Amino acid sequence: MAKEVKPTRKNLMAIEDRIELSERGHDTLEKKRDGLIMEFMDILDQAQEVRENVDDQYQRAQRAINMARAMEGDVAVRGAASALKEHPEITSESKNIMGVVVPQIESSKVQKDLDERGYGVLGTSARIDEAAEAYEDLLETIILAAEVETAMKKMLEEIEKTKRRVNALEFKLLPDLYSSQEYIEQKLEEQEREEIFRMKKIKAKKEEEEDADHLTTDEEEETEEPLTADD
Amino acid sequence: MSAARGTANYEYVTSRVRSRRASLFDADDYRKLVRMGPGEIARFMEETEYETEMNALGSRFEGVDLIEYALNRNLAKHFDDLLNWADGALYGYLARYLRKFDAWNVKTTFRGIYSDADPSEIEDDLITAGELSETLLSRLVDAGSIEEAVDLLDGTLFADALDEAYELYEQESLLVPLENAVDRAYYADLMANLPSEPNRAEELYLQFLRAEIDFRNLRNALRISRSGADIDPAEFYIDGGRLFDATTLRQLASNPDELVARVRESVYGDELDATLDALAEADDLIAFEHALDAALLSYSDTLSNRYPLSVCPVLAYVLAKEREVDNVRAIARGREAGLDPEEIETELVIA
C-alpha cells in the first residue's frame, strides 16, 4: 500500500488524520467488544440455566404424559388434548443491547386455568391436569429459551463482527497506515535531503562561478594596468 | 341391548357375574404382566379372554395401541352382556350406570369434530358399552359441526343440558361447558326418579352411587383448590352425594385441611384414613385420586359381600372389570414408556 501513496505532505497529513481516527475507532471497538463479551457471558449463564430447565421440564412433561397415557389411556389423553384449538399467542418485540438488536418474546395464554384447557373438569382427572400443566411449563421455558438463545446468537455474531473489525484495524489497516506514514516521511526526508544537497550544490556552483568571475575580472584588470603605465 | 322388562333377576345375573369376576386377572397375573414387554403382554392377552378382540383388531392396530383398543372393545362386550342378562329394575340400574360410556362417546365425538379429526379415527375411540345405538353414534361421528352433533342428541338424556351449554360454547368457543354438561347430565340421570322411600335394592344402589359422587366431588374440589385458579368449586359440584352440598363444598375447597378433616369424620373415614394422612403429608393429589379409586372398589366389594343378591355385586364387577382394563393398559403403556416394574406396581389398583 505504501508504494501506492504519493509521498506528499498533503497525503502524510491525510494519513495522520486517518491514523488518529483509526486508533480512536480501534479503542472504541475494543471497548465495545469487551462490553459485548461481558453481556454475552451474562446471557450465556442465563442460557445454560434455561437449557437445563428445558431438559428438566421436558423430562417431567414426558413422564407426566406417559403416566397420564398409562393411567387414563391414550384415547383419553388424545381426547383431552384435542379439546382445545386455541394456540398460545406469541409476540416479538426488540430491545437493544450495546447496539445489538435482540428479540424480546412475550407469550400469553400459555399457562391456563383448569377451566380454560378445553376439557371438562367433571370427567377428567388430576393426571391429565398434571400433564397439561407440565407441557404449559415446558412451552413457557421453550419460549424463554428461544429469546435467550436468539439473543446469544446475535450477540455472538456481533462479537465476531467487532472482533474482525478490531483485528482488521489492529493488524491490517493501522500497520498499513503506519507503513505509509513512514514511507512518506522517509520519502519526504529524502526529498528534503536531496533538496538541501541540491541547494548546496547550486550554492557551491554559484560560488564557483562567482569565484571564476572574480578571477577573470582580476586577470583582466592585471592585463590592462601595465599598458596604462607604459602609456 | 334389551330394554327393562319383568322383575329384576338378581340371582341369575349375580351368579353369572361371579363367574365372570373369577376370570378377571388376579395379583399373580399382574405380577407376571409387569415383568413383560409390550409384545409379551400382547401374546399373553391372546391366550386369555381378550383373544377374540386381539385377533379382530390385529390387522388395524399394533403394539400398545392394539392392547388398548382390544381392552376397550372387550370391556364394551362384557358390559353389553350384563345388560342382555339383566331384567327389570336391575337392568334400569345397570343401564343408568353404564351410560357413563354414552357420556364418554358424546365427549369423544365432540372433541373429534372440534379438532377436525377423521371420522374413522373418532369411531375407533368410542367405547360402545352404553345405550346410544350404533346408528346414532355413527351419525354423530359423521356430523359436520358441534351444532349438528348437539341436534342429533335431541331426545337423549343429554339434550336439555347440551341445549343450555351450547350458548356458552358459542360465546367461548371452548368445549368445557359442553363436556361439563354431558357429565352433569349423566350424574343427574343416575339419581333421577328414584323413590323418596327406596326399597332395599334401591337403597343399595343409592349408597354405591353416593359414594362415587362424593369421591368425584372430593377429587374435583381438591383439583380446583390445588390449581389455584379462581374457579367456584360449586360450579363443578355434582348433586346427590352424602358428604357435601354446593355451599359446603365451596367453603371447604378454600380450606383443604378442613376438607380432609370433614372426609375423615365421614362414613368413608376408616376407608380413607391412611390416604388422607398421605395427602396431608405429601400433598400428592394423584396418589390421593388413586386411593379414592381403590377405596371405591373396596367399598363396592364390601357392599356386594354384605348384600350378595343385589345390584351391588354387579356394580362391583363393573368397577373391577374397568379396573382390570385400567391396570393392563397401565402396565402396557408403562412398559412402553420404560417404567420399572416396581414403579408400575405402585400405580395398579388390585382388588
Side-chain angles (χ1 to χ4, degrees):
Chain A
M1 183 196 169
K3 301 231 166 113
E4 292 162 13
V5 186
K6 279 189 178 172
T8 62
R9 204 155 286 282
K10 193 183 167 199
N11 281 347
L12 181 65
M13 282 166 73
I15 282 174
E16 279 169 352
D17 286 347
R18 283 184 68 193
I19 286 174
E20 198 189 329
L21 188 68
S22 302
E23 279 176 343
R24 255 192 291 144
H26 179 256
D27 288 348
T28 312
L29 284 172
E30 258 189 343
K31 279 181 195 157
K32 183 183 174 183
R33 183 196 61 193
D34 295 345
L36 282 171
I37 287 171
M38 281 172 72
E39 287 284 344
F40 175 78
M41 295 312 278
D42 287 347
I43 292 177
L44 187 68
D45 288 344
Q46 209 187 337
Q48 273 167 347
E49 199 181 313
V50 172
R51 253 185 208 195
E52 277 168 25
N53 287 347
V54 169
D55 281 347
D56 292 347
Q57 285 177 358
Y58 177 73
Q59 300 294 341
R60 192 169 77 86
Q62 259 324 96
R63 189 185 154 74
I65 206 153
N66 283 338
M67 292 308 282
R69 286 175 78 210
M71 303 317 295
E72 304 294 320
D74 184 57
V75 175
V77 174
R78 269 194 290 112
S82 63
L84 187 68
K85 264 199 296 200
E86 185 191 54
H87 293 292
E89 279 175 16
I90 293 173
T91 51
S92 174
E93 288 175 8
S94 52
K95 64 177 178 184
N96 200 315
I97 303 177
M98 301 196 70
V100 186
V101 180
V102 295
Q104 196 167 21
I105 304 172
E106 294 287 333
S107 60
S108 59
K109 296 182 186 170
V110 175
Q111 299 278 1
K112 289 185 169 62
D113 281 344
L114 192 57
D115 59 345
E116 293 171 338
R117 291 189 181 130
Y119 56 78
V121 177
L122 295 176
T124 48
S125 73
R127 286 254 179 231
I128 290 183
D129 297 345
E130 191 192 48
E133 202 181 309
Y135 269 92
E136 284 167 4
D137 288 346
L138 176 64
L139 190 56
E140 285 250 299
T141 314
I142 287 173
I143 291 167
L144 180 64
E147 180 183 310
V148 173
E149 298 243 338
T150 313
M152 199 171 76
K153 206 175 145 199
K154 290 209 163 197
M155 293 288 279
L156 206 58
E157 279 168 10
E158 188 64 23
I159 289 171
E160 280 300 312
K161 206 156 80 180
T162 313
K163 256 168 90 176
R164 275 200 303 273
R165 284 179 177 165
V166 169
N167 288 345
L169 282 171
E170 195 173 329
F171 300 109
K172 177 75 182 150
L173 190 67
L174 277 168
D176 283 354
L177 288 172
Y178 289 137
S179 137
S180 298
Q181 183 191 30
E182 204 182 321
Y183 168 76
I184 295 172
E185 279 172 352
Q186 276 174 3
K187 280 283 174 192
L188 287 176
E189 276 172 25
E190 208 172 297
Q191 280 173 7
E192 218 167 287
R193 276 197 304 276
E194 274 175 13
E195 186 65 19
I196 291 166
F197 182 74
R198 201 168 57 84
M199 294 299 281
K200 277 183 182 170
K201 276 272 189 194
I202 291 168
K203 194 180 169 189
K205 205 171 178 184
K206 270 188 177 174
E207 280 172 358
E208 251 176 54
E209 280 172 4
E210 276 173 15
D211 287 349
D213 283 350
H214 283 301
L215 266 174
T216 320
T217 316
D218 287 348
E219 277 171 11
E220 277 173 6
E221 278 174 7
E222 275 173 20
T223 324
E224 280 172 17
E225 263 176 27
L227 277 171
T228 314
D230 291 340
D231 289 339
Chain B
M1 200 172 290
S2 68
R5 60 186 182 277
T7 50
N9 51 349
Y10 291 111
E11 293 84 354
Y12 174 67
V13 178
T14 49
S15 66
R16 294 210 68 166
V17 158
R18 261 198 303 279
S19 129
R20 284 274 168 106
R21 178 134 196 185
S23 66
L24 292 178
F25 290 160
D26 58 18
D28 275 345
D29 290 323
Y30 290 128
R31 256 194 296 279
K32 275 188 247 167
L33 280 166
V34 289
R35 279 157 186 82
M36 292 179 187
E40 290 167 302
I41 295 171
R43 277 196 294 281
F44 180 86
M45 285 175 66
E46 279 169 17
E47 288 161 14
T48 62
E49 63 150 77
Y50 292 96
E51 182 189 0
T52 316
E53 289 78 20
M54 292 292 284
N55 290 338
L57 295 168
S59 59
R60 294 181 54 212
F61 303 103
E62 58 180 19
V64 182
D65 286 343
L66 170 62
I67 295 173
E68 187 167 341
Y69 284 114
L71 287 168
N72 287 346
R73 190 179 274 198
N74 182 271
L75 182 88
K77 187 186 87 182
H78 276 260
F79 293 167
D80 207 35
D81 288 346
L82 289 182
L83 287 169
N84 285 330
W85 300 333
D87 282 334
L90 178 58
Y91 175 87
Y93 301 141
L94 251 179
R96 279 185 199 215
Y97 190 71
L98 293 178
R99 278 177 199 142
K100 70 164 137 184
F101 293 101
D102 287 335
W104 163 276
N105 289 339
V106 170
K107 286 188 289 181
T108 304
T109 314
F110 284 165
R111 288 168 177 181
I113 297 168
Y114 185 74
S115 62
D116 300 321
D118 192 73
S120 66
E121 282 173 23
I122 305 173
E123 202 156 11
D124 287 339
D125 291 348
L126 302 182
I127 303 174
T128 51
E131 265 200 331
L132 296 182
S133 67
E134 286 193 13
T135 322
L136 177 58
L137 286 175
S138 168
R139 287 175 65 199
L140 271 178
V141 163
D142 290 329
S145 66
I146 298 284
E147 190 182 6
E148 199 183 324
V150 170
D151 287 343
L152 282 169
L153 287 165
D154 203 22
T156 66
L157 70 106
F158 307 110
D160 293 342
L162 282 174
D163 278 345
E164 276 177 40
Y166 188 74
E167 275 180 38
L168 264 177
Y169 163 75
E170 276 198 314
Q171 284 165 21
E172 297 171 5
S173 291
L174 281 177
L175 285 181
V176 182
L178 293 178
E179 291 206 2
N180 286 337
V182 169
D183 286 319
R184 205 180 283 283
Y186 163 70
Y187 283 110
D189 178 68
L190 268 184
M191 307 295 278
N193 301 323
L194 286 171
S196 52
E197 285 180 18
N199 61 28
R200 191 72 193 135
E202 288 157 350
E203 179 62 47
L204 290 170
Y205 174 69
L206 273 172
Q207 216 170 322
F208 172 80
L209 294 184
R210 280 180 180 144
E212 178 157 339
I213 291 173
D214 280 332
F215 288 180
R216 175 54 68 180
N217 278 332
L218 180 58
R219 67 164 71 187
N220 285 344
L222 284 169
R223 273 169 76 194
I224 291 167
S225 158
R226 297 290 155 95
S227 77
D230 186 22
I231 302 172
D232 180 6
E235 273 182 47
F236 299 103
Y237 168 75
I238 301 166
D239 201 18
R242 275 193 286 196
L243 271 185
F244 321 101
D245 57 30
T247 320
T248 325
L249 194 69
R250 183 185 288 130
Q251 288 161 356
L252 291 175
S254 57
N255 190 342
D257 293 340
E258 264 186 49
L259 184 70
V260 168
R262 177 72 172 261
V263 180
R264 213 185 280 277
E265 287 160 16
S266 72
V267 285
Y268 314 114
D270 292 342
E271 204 81 61
L272 295 174
D273 203 34
T275 318
L276 290 168
D277 287 342
L279 177 72
E281 280 168 25
D283 208 27
D284 186 352
L285 187 53
I286 287 171
F288 183 69
E289 280 196 354
H290 204 61
L292 283 180
D293 289 340
L296 188 65
L297 199 61
S298 154
Y299 188 66
S300 70
D301 281 343
T302 310
L303 284 179
S304 60
N305 289 335
R306 211 177 291 166
Y307 312 104
L309 287 180
S310 68
V311 68
C312 294
V314 187
L315 292 177
Y317 168 71
V318 169
L319 284 190
K321 179 69 188 172
E322 280 186 289
R323 186 38 62 186
E324 175 179 278
V325 165
D326 288 347
N327 283 343
V328 176
R329 187 187 55 223
I331 293 169
R333 291 272 175 215
R335 297 300 291 160
E336 184 191 35
L339 299 182
D340 293 332
E342 291 74 24
E343 208 172 353
I344 298 170
E345 268 172 350
T346 60
E347 300 293 335
L348 303 182
V349 178
I350 300 168

